[in-house]
Amino acid sequence: MEKQSSTILLRSLAYLKGVGESRAKLLAEELELYTFADLLSFFPFRYEDRTKCHNISEITEDSLYVQLKGRLRNIQSMGEGGKKRLEATLEDQTGQVKLIWFQSIHFVRPRLKEGVDYLVFGKPNMFSRHFSIPHPDFELFVSSDKQAALTPIYHSTEKLRANFLDSKGLTKLVRNLFEVISTQIAENLTASILGKYELMPRIEALQGIHFPSTASVLHRSLRRLKFEELFFVQLKLLRLRHVRLSKHAGLPFTKLQIHNKFFHDHLAFPLTNAQKRVIREIYTDLNSGKQMNRLLQGDVGSGKTVVAFMCMLMAIDNEAQACLMAPTEVLAEQHFKGLQPMAEKLGLEMALLTGSTKRSERNKMLPRLAEGSIKLIVGTHALIEDEVQFQNLGLCIIDEQHRFGVAQRAKLWQKQPRLFPHVLVMTATPIPRTLAMTLYGDLDVSVIDEMPAGRKPIQTVHRYENNRAKIYAFLESQIQQGYQAYVIYPLIEESETLNYKSLMAGVENIQQHIPTASLSVLHGKMSSKEKEQSMAAFAANQTQIMVATTVVEVGVNVPNANVILIENADRFGLSQLHQLRGRVGRGQTQSYCILLTEYNLSQDARQRLKAMTETTDGFKLSELDLKLRGPGALDGTQQSGVVELKLANLAKDGEIVQQSRMAAIQLLEDDPTLVKSEHKQVFDFLQNEQQNPQKQWGRVS
Ligand code: ADP
Ligand code: MG
């Protein structure tokens, strides 16, 4: 059954009634429709409600589209040459309106008959005190019960319209399609899923989305098809994960000596419960004998670094090496500086490898890494270069994952071909749960959802230019109390043309207003040596203000800084603003974030800034970001290459995402390899999808 239906669905559209060779070519060129299956999933982009008709007398100057039912009178061709037009009058009990065509007259004229009732749809214009409707959509009025309640509107193009394939023409083709395939569309969800989640059968949903008889049918059809779409996306990811868990062995970590010693003797603070929980979750993976692939999410400042370090110690406890990879040199160096003293206390050596590590140093370091006498290493992308070899890499931690692609992750695996190293990916980009579940379906997720005790929520305000003097005075007062401040600019000098405040002008301005403070500067054009010196001076409190572009965005940690002033704050996205704000509020003191902008702001920018002043919850902010900008805008989602959804919207269909995920998980728990007979239709559909990359097939021919 499924076999047969899949073959008919793969048939070229040229063989569909009403198409033929030349139209098939047009459909392929204009709409990328090649096969029966392509047309089946070419859904209407909107519907017109044909159940409601206006009275002609109700038309006003403000009317948008209206639908009218009336009798046609006075069909006339007028004008000559380029001014030629066709006019007719539509009349109902309440009045008259003129219908006008300037184009396709030869096509329209034969379809108009005087004295006959028509259903007309269009946008009225007012012209010399009379209403007229140019180029209305029209069809013969048939007794009302035969008229479809919602008329599907399909995208078309000029070329297609010229070949009678306007929306109406396409509608006809879809009807022809259903005539030949409707008995052959197999269900692809199980009876129990259909029952449990109250979903309509597949064939009904497909008919319902093309030809809905009521709005409720349309709604239920959409829900069913979105569910199906999300269900199969997640099922595929979960199966990948299953394959990974069942195939890739990982070095089992069983001993915890050094780890425990650190925990008892050297921790500077008690871990939060959330930190303890995720360490346990990670250890369970590491101990399992299977390769770990885990995503660790935690809002900025939630304390991911110490968790990473303690996991690295687990590797050492088990005679393996561990690496920590950061997206920038500044961050790698900061991690190194923060972690090396802790390693030293435990009598362990830690190395640092970045793009600017000198050749001579490399030549000393790399052989020792390869023979295993260096066990802990921190670095940047430099770590994945081919010359970097390990003796026994057991754990690889990637900080701030959104800067690394999947391909780079895979390259790390190759460093230890015998047994893949365990991988822990850490991100502060608080991906909403619904999205994380879909995007990272192949990763396990741990969340640090608790801040270290004693943190005070950062006070955030939005201010305008006229407050600048006051703001500088505030910065100065904080500095006089011994604190430090960041001042962040969106771009540097050459962007002057775009009317951005330049970083250097800002430096001068600050020096004038706050002469008592000394400044560090950090921007992308500096060499890594300069950056390092600049960061070091600020971290050691030798300078009080760090004036920087967004290079401080991720990870930088100076707990004594308690104010961040963000210039042109409207230029930043919501998640970026949240990351920047996370540079303060990392200690016990009250911290402040000042968002400075001009008066003139877009609606969107205003919403972002308002959200920033209202919440410090990164998850709430990213939910909002998702609503404002859509999933593509979230860091990292493009690289994931997983989501290409036709119907479902991750931002809006959260509930369906959750339900379909639940259904997929339960199905696989019951039957991981989908061998049971009651799961056959699910299995067949997956197989067919994998075997029939329909579009590619069509494009080749
Ligand atoms: P992030 O999760 O943003 O990477 P960090 O790991 O840089 O955060 O930690 C932020 C700050 O909080 C650091 O100064 C760190 O030492 C401190 N910290 C981490 N865990 C705790 C804790 N349990 N109690 C108190 N301070 C902590
Ligand atoms: Mg960090």
Side-chain angles (χ1 to χ4, degrees):
M1 168 100 180
E2 180 66 36
K3 275 265 156 339
Q4 208 188 350
S5 73
S6 72
T7 43
I8 192 166
L9 284 175
L10 276 183
R11 217 175 266 176
S12 157
L13 278 174
Y15 301 110
L16 182 66
K17 190 172 120 199
V19 182
E21 285 296 335
S22 69
R23 279 173 154 194
K25 195 159 166 266
L26 269 180
L27 287 167
E29 283 168 5
E30 297 287 299
L31 295 175
E32 301 199 1
L33 301 177
Y34 302 89
T35 63
F36 283 25
D38 291 343
L39 186 61
L40 184 62
S41 53
F42 181 66
F43 300 132
F45 72 100
R46 67 182 174 90
Y47 303 84
E48 277 163 12
D49 189 345
R50 300 261 149 141
T51 55
K52 285 181 212 125
C53 280
H54 290 84
N55 288 326
I56 289 176
S57 65
E58 288 172 331
I59 296 175
T60 69
E61 278 182 85
D62 302 327
S63 293
L64 293 170
Y65 285 89
V66 294
Q67 177 159 263
L68 308 165
K69 190 201 121 200
R71 191 151 293 180
L72 212 59
R73 309 253 178 231
N74 283 335
I75 305 170
Q76 285 181 295
S77 292
M78 333 252 299
E80 281 303 319
K83 298 234 166 102
K84 214 168 152 180
R85 68 183 194 275
L86 179 67
E87 289 192 4
T89 305
L90 188 77
E91 181 183 87
D92 70 5
Q93 296 95 322
T94 68
Q96 294 187 336
V97 65
K98 201 161 269 180
L99 312 178
I100 307 182
W101 290 265
F102 302 98
Q103 282 147 24
S104 314
I105 294 174
H106 64 288
F107 170 56
V108 173
R109 181 65 189 86
R111 294 171 57 209
L112 298 178
K113 290 199 183 69
E114 284 192 28
V116 172
D117 284 345
Y118 282 84
L119 204 55
V120 170
F121 181 88
K123 189 176 179 317
N125 282 341
M126 171 82 124
F127 190 70
S128 60
R129 315 272 235 80
H130 292 287
F131 286 109
S132 62
I133 305 182
H135 287 269
D137 223 14
F138 66 95
E139 62 188 76
L140 277 177
F141 181 75
V142 197
S143 76
S144 60
D145 55 324
K146 275 198 192 156
Q147 207 84 44
L150 292 171
T151 302
I153 306 296
Y154 295 93
H155 273 297
S156 185
T157 67
E158 280 309 312
K159 269 193 186 167
L160 286 170
R161 273 190 282 271
N163 284 271
F164 306 109
L165 289 178
D166 55 0
S167 175
K168 214 161 286 160
L170 290 165
T171 307
K172 249 184 225 143
L173 295 188
V174 179
R175 283 203 191 280
N176 295 345
L177 179 72
F178 271 99
E179 269 169 33
V180 288
I181 62 165
S182 61
T183 55
Q184 310 212 31
I185 296 174
E187 181 54 65
N188 58 9
L189 296 176
T190 67
S192 83
I193 291 175
L194 293 181
K196 180 162 179 193
Y197 297 99
E198 297 177 339
L199 300 167
M200 57 164 63
R202 182 149 189 255
I203 174 68
E204 275 179 38
L206 285 168
Q207 266 161 343
I209 193 172
H210 284 288
F211 308 115
S213 52
T214 64
S216 144
V217 167
L218 175 61
H219 178 79
R220 283 182 291 130
S221 303
L222 267 171
R223 177 164 170 270
R224 146 76 212 213
L225 294 172
K226 286 177 179 178
F227 188 102
E228 167 185 323
E229 181 172 49
L230 291 164
F231 174 82
F232 281 101
V233 166
Q234 304 191 68
L235 193 66
K236 273 184 233 166
L237 286 167
L238 289 164
R239 290 185 92 215
L240 278 180
R241 175 167 168 259
H242 177 81
V243 167
R244 195 192 79 224
L245 288 180
S246 56
K247 276 199 188 144
H248 300 318
L251 187 68
F253 288 4
T254 53
K255 290 170 263 168
L256 288 178
Q257 228 181 341
I258 303 175
H259 171 89
N260 287 342
K261 182 170 184 283
F262 177 78
F263 180 77
H264 291 296
D265 301 344
H266 298 290
L267 255 181
F269 38 70
L271 294 178
T272 62
N273 287 327
Q275 284 170 319
K276 285 187 206 161
R277 191 190 66 242
V278 302
I279 289 175
R280 245 182 319 205
E281 286 168 358
I282 293 166
Y283 181 67
T284 307
D285 280 3
L286 296 175
N287 188 354
S288 70
K290 305 279 162 64
Q291 187 216 5
M292 172 177 80
N293 265 289
R294 191 169 275 278
L295 178 73
L296 174 58
Q297 272 189 37
D299 210 342
V300 282
S302 62
K304 294 183 292 295
T305 318
V306 70
V307 170
F309 182 68
M310 292 177 71
C311 296
M312 292 172 90
L313 296 180
M314 295 178 191
I316 303 220
D317 271 323
N318 293 276
E319 288 86 44
Q321 293 165 294
C323 73
L324 171 60
M325 190 156 76
T328 64
E329 292 198 5
V330 170
L331 270 183
E333 277 154 20
Q334 178 189 292
H335 277 321
F336 179 72
K337 291 227 174 78
L339 297 180
Q340 198 207 20
M342 300 201 239
E344 236 162 47
K345 280 187 198 149
L346 296 163
L348 300 168
E349 182 183 353
M350 183 177 266
L352 173 68
L353 182 69
T354 70
S356 45
T357 305
K358 288 198 195 71
R359 187 77 257 167
S360 57
E361 256 177 88
R362 269 172 205 248
N363 288 344
K364 267 186 261 164
M365 185 191 309
L366 293 179
R368 299 189 53 228
L369 204 57
E371 74 182 29
S373 57
I374 295 178
K375 292 215 183 306
L376 291 174
I377 187 160
V378 174
T380 55
H381 288 74
L383 286 171
I384 60 177
E385 282 162 22
D386 288 333
E387 65 168 359
V388 182
Q389 295 295 325
F390 292 84
Q391 181 245 343
N392 182 21
L393 181 60
L395 171 67
C396 180
I397 301 180
I398 304 173
D399 194 14
E400 308 297 351
Q401 103 100 19
H402 55 283
R403 308 256 172 125
F404 284 104
V406 174
Q408 285 164 315
R409 243 198 286 161
K411 206 163 173 207
L412 267 166
W413 292 13
Q414 314 302 311
K415 301 263 173 219
Q416 193 60 35
R418 193 169 40 82
L419 273 183
F420 287 149
H422 300 290
V423 176
L424 181 68
V425 174
M426 304 200 291
T427 177
T429 308
I431 300 154
R433 250 191 189 283
T434 53
L435 192 59
M437 285 192 310
T438 306
L439 290 179
Y440 297 106
D442 71 321
L443 294 181
D444 300 297
V445 180
S446 285
V447 182
I448 305 185
D449 51 5
E450 179 188 1
M451 286 289 171
R455 295 274 170 83
K456 298 188 180 68
I458 301 163
Q459 284 183 23
T460 305
V461 292
H462 175 196
R463 293 283 181 266
Y464 300 101
E465 274 301 322
N466 63 338
N467 268 303
R468 187 175 282 284
K470 266 196 203 153
I471 294 169
Y472 283 144
F474 177 72
L475 255 61
E476 191 167 25
S477 75
Q478 293 299 308
I479 288 164
Q480 274 161 6
Q481 290 174 51
Y483 299 121
Q484 292 162 278
Y486 294 98
V487 179
I488 307 295
Y489 289 85
L491 279 181
I492 58 159
E493 287 165 78
E494 73 271 10
S495 61
E496 262 166 353
T497 44
L498 292 171
N499 196 22
Y500 285 24
K501 299 274 173 220
S502 102
L503 182 73
M504 290 312 166
V507 168
E508 248 170 62
N509 203 356
I510 296 165
Q511 265 164 347
Q512 271 174 17
H513 281 84
I514 317 178
T516 51
S518 55
L519 271 52
S520 275
V521 178
L522 194 67
H523 60 76
K525 297 246 179 286
M526 289 162 53
S527 74
S528 50
K529 192 94 213 145
E530 292 168 325
K531 281 188 211 164
E532 192 191 332
Q533 284 166 350
S534 176
M535 267 312 298
F538 186 66
N541 202 359
Q542 289 160 3
T543 58
Q544 285 73 52
I545 301 181
M546 167 63 84
V547 187
T549 56
T550 51
V551 270
V552 295
E553 179 188 338
V554 262
V556 167
N557 186 32
V558 179
N560 190 48
N562 79 329
V563 191
I564 185 163
L565 166 61
I566 304 177
E567 300 267 357
N568 297 98
D570 52 311
R571 309 274 184 187
F572 294 91
L574 203 42
S575 63
Q576 225 181 352
L577 286 174
H578 180 64
Q579 289 294 320
L580 286 168
R581 177 167 62 181
R583 295 315 108 217
V584 299
R586 303 174 80 82
Q588 305 281 327
T589 46
Q590 178 62 55
S591 294
Y592 307 89
C593 171
I594 304 162
L595 307 168
L596 191 59
T597 70
E598 310 272 345
Y599 274 109
N600 269 338
L601 289 176
S602 72
Q603 190 67 23
D604 258 20
R606 244 176 233 291
Q607 251 183 299
R608 287 199 298 274
L609 297 171
K610 185 159 175 286
M612 282 292 293
T613 61
E614 283 171 357
T615 182
T616 52
D617 182 334
F619 282 85
K620 277 198 194 134
L621 290 171
S622 75
E623 297 270 4
L624 180 68
D625 209 18
L626 192 62
K627 287 213 179 86
L628 288 178
R629 301 197 295 164
L634 279 187
D635 294 323
T637 53
Q638 290 93 335
Q639 299 159 345
S640 68
V642 199
V643 227
E644 204 198 307
L645 298 168
K646 247 185 122 77
L647 285 173
N649 177 326
L650 289 171
K652 293 187 185 139
D653 297 319
E655 199 188 351
I656 307 179
V657 173
Q658 262 155 23
Q659 291 177 340
S660 57
R661 175 166 174 91
M662 190 70 75
I665 289 173
Q666 276 169 358
L667 181 71
L668 289 178
E669 264 170 16
D670 173 34
D671 183 10
T673 48
L674 301 177
V675 289
K676 294 191 177 172
S677 63
E678 65 265 35
H679 301 149
K680 188 171 182 332
Q681 62 264 52
V682 174
F683 183 79
D684 285 349
F685 186 80
L686 266 183
Q687 289 300 95
N688 268 326
E689 265 207 331
Q690 269 150 21
Q691 280 162 21
N692 304 328
Q694 286 150 4
K695 294 249 156 155
Q696 283 87 325
W697 179 84
R699 245 171 237 127
V700 174
S701 65

